[in-house]
Amino acid sequence: MVEARIRVEEELRDQNRFVGLLHRISEGTNDAASEDEAYQVCVDEICRDMGWPIGHVYMRSPGDDAILLPSKVWHLEKPKTFASFRTVTDNTNFTLGKGQPGRVLKSGKPAWGVDVSKEKNYTRGTLAGELGVHSGHSSP
């Protein structure tokens, strides 16, 4: 009985946190003056909520929906620490099926890499490992 109550309370806390996140994103994107500003709100809020030090948005190429291009939208808690990762990412496009973002583009389903430094299909894995970045998440 006590365990069930604790589980229900934890679920309620998680749901409240999620609703709060959605509320902050809704307010922030409604106030955004541009698409990039709206994406920035989303990335910042999600990264803060999840405790992620890095977040980035890839966009579909205007000329080819099968290509993802890096945007200027970043969440970086420590810009100097992750400068090399940002430089590489800012120069990395993904095609359908290539790398984690490309696999997500192809499948239409989110993907989670537990240790991207060891994944063969994670193009920035070695650099990520050197910087202490181990997990990665991509969403359509």
Side-chain angles (χ1 to χ4, degrees):
M1 178 111 162
V2 173
E3 289 177 12
R5 183 174 149 223
I6 291 170
R7 190 174 53 249
V8 168
E9 287 174 354
E10 287 174 356
E11 288 175 14
L12 284 172
R13 272 193 298 275
D14 288 345
Q15 288 175 1
N16 284 336
R17 192 182 99 223
F18 184 67
V19 169
L21 172 65
L22 293 178
H23 179 73
R24 291 188 307 276
I25 287 173
S26 295
E27 280 189 335
T29 56
N30 284 337
D31 294 339
S34 69
E35 189 175 276
D36 280 352
E37 223 177 275
Y39 282 122
Q40 189 68 59
V41 168
C42 294
V43 168
D44 286 340
E45 290 295 339
I46 291 168
C47 287
R48 276 193 283 273
D49 186 74
M50 297 298 293
W52 294 343
I54 302 172
H56 178 64
V57 174
Y58 269 91
M59 303 293 289
R60 287 181 184 230
S61 170
D64 187 346
D65 276 355
I67 298 174
L68 293 173
L69 304 173
S71 73
K72 300 293 182 200
V73 179
W74 280 91
H75 172 87
L76 292 167
E77 284 183 8
K78 299 177 183 175
K80 289 181 183 178
T81 301
F82 300 112
S84 58
F85 188 81
R86 181 177 182 167
T87 298
V88 169
T89 300
D90 283 343
N91 291 293
T92 304
N93 298 346
F94 289 98
T95 55
L96 200 62
K98 179 185 173 195
Q100 188 180 53
R103 288 192 314 270
V104 169
L105 178 63
K106 185 175 182 177
S107 72
K109 298 177 182 175
W112 183 267
V114 176
D115 192 347
V116 296
S117 66
K118 295 179 182 172
E119 288 186 26
K120 292 178 184 172
N121 198 20
Y122 195 83
T123 54
R124 298 159 293 160
T126 301
L127 179 58
E130 291 170 2
L131 296 171
V133 175
H134 296 286
S135 62
H137 176 78
S138 297
S139 294

